[in-house]
Amino acid sequence: MATHIATSMVSTMLRASNGIQVDAAPVKPARMLRLYDIENCPYCRLVRETLTELDLDAEIYPCPKEGERFRPEVVERGGKAQFPYLVDPNTGVEMYESLDIVAYLYETYAQRDLPLKWKAGRLQTLGSMLASGVRMNERMAALPSRQPEYMLELYSFESSPYARVVREQLCNMELPYVLRNCGRTQLREWLLPNLRESLNAEPEPEAGQENRRWLFEREGRVAIPYLYDPNSEQGMFESDAIVDYLEATYAA
Ligand SMILES: N[C@@H](CCC(=O)N[C@@H](CS)C(=O)NCC(=O)O)C(=O)O
């Protein structure tokens, strides 16, 4: 497990400041965005980073190699098995191409100019490829699972090395989930959860940080990742515990 987390941390470091800090989009989609995604795909990562940075939630439909659950939907809708694929039920737009999706999210929901780093999108793609490279040994092929009746909900931000491990497991098991983005807006949120506890410095989430606030009100603290399973009404912290729960509950 230690090396498993270590390479996830390297991935996080390679993406530097991406997928952490929030500058929330002023317009929130009324109906949830849908993203057909492969966790360790460098292109899909760019879209998920943008979702964190704009504080947009999305339904994630995992499409690992050899996956049979959601891949056919993408071929039916768009004509080819290429990921990421975004479906926006609010506008009827459906699209391939990570950098086009990033630009679309900025234009539609952030309603501001594309930041410079995304204008240099090819550089971002290159960096994201390096971050994927260090996680290459993590399986991206489908693991058989039973599909839950209600979608699981994952409280996550893109760059969290611990949340990544959970997202990989959800992807491999082809378990669809609601990605509840919990990027950071305050300096104190950078303190690790156990340090916050000993310093008695649990930051109260700011107004507008709805996902962090929900977690804070439910559990009295915020730590990422957090999985909520509406099927069992159970919620849990700790990436190891979440991965064990997914295997015990949904592996076929
Ligand atoms: N230019 C596309 C490239 C997307 C792409 O090549 N995605 C790969 C996954 S990393 C893919 O869809 N491969 C087909 C497959 O996995 O079946 C983009 O930026 O979205």
Side-chain angles (χ1 to χ4, degrees), residues 83-200:
F83 308 93
Y85 186 73
L86 179 81
V87 175
D88 185 344
N90 304 283
T91 57
V93 165
E94 304 200 6
M95 63 205 296
Y96 293 105
E97 290 301 325
S98 52
L99 296 175
D100 292 347
I101 298 173
V102 169
Y104 169 80
L105 293 174
Y106 267 90
E107 192 185 330
T108 314
Y109 295 108
Q111 299 188 331
R112 56 178 178 261
D113 274 356
L114 201 57
L116 198 59
K117 71 168 186 178
W118 291 120
K119 286 185 179 152
R122 303 242 172 259
L123 274 182
Q124 299 300 333
T125 305
L126 198 67
S128 187
M129 282 176 172
L130 294 177
S132 288
V134 295
R135 296 297 282 172
M136 277 294 272
N137 58 345
E138 298 309 322
R139 181 207 294 265
M140 276 210 307
L143 286 174
S145 71
R146 179 171 70 74
Q147 194 172 337
E149 186 178 356
Y150 301 107
M151 271 180 130
L152 306 176
E153 305 207 0
L154 183 68
Y155 289 73
S156 163
F157 60 90
E158 179 53 33
S159 197
S160 160
Y162 300 98
R164 177 175 298 113
V165 170
V166 174
R167 294 194 311 261
E168 284 170 351
Q169 183 72 18
L170 289 163
C171 182
N172 295 339
M173 294 179 79
E174 295 183 276
L175 293 172
Y177 59 100
V178 178
L179 179 65
R180 297 273 181 211
N181 269 306
C182 294
R184 293 170 175 157
T185 54
Q186 308 179 53
L187 212 54
R188 270 206 285 174
E189 287 165 350
W190 288 78
L191 283 178
L192 292 176
N194 47 2
L195 203 60
R196 284 181 206 171
E197 221 174 329
S198 48
L199 296 175
N200 201 14

Side-chain angles (χ1 to χ4, degrees), residues 38 41-44 63 65 71 81-84 96-99:
I38 304 174
C41 161
Y43 307 100
C44 299
C63 298
K65 299 263 176 223
R71 278 185 167 247
Q82 181 180 296
F83 308 93
Y96 293 105
E97 290 301 325
S98 52
L99 296 175

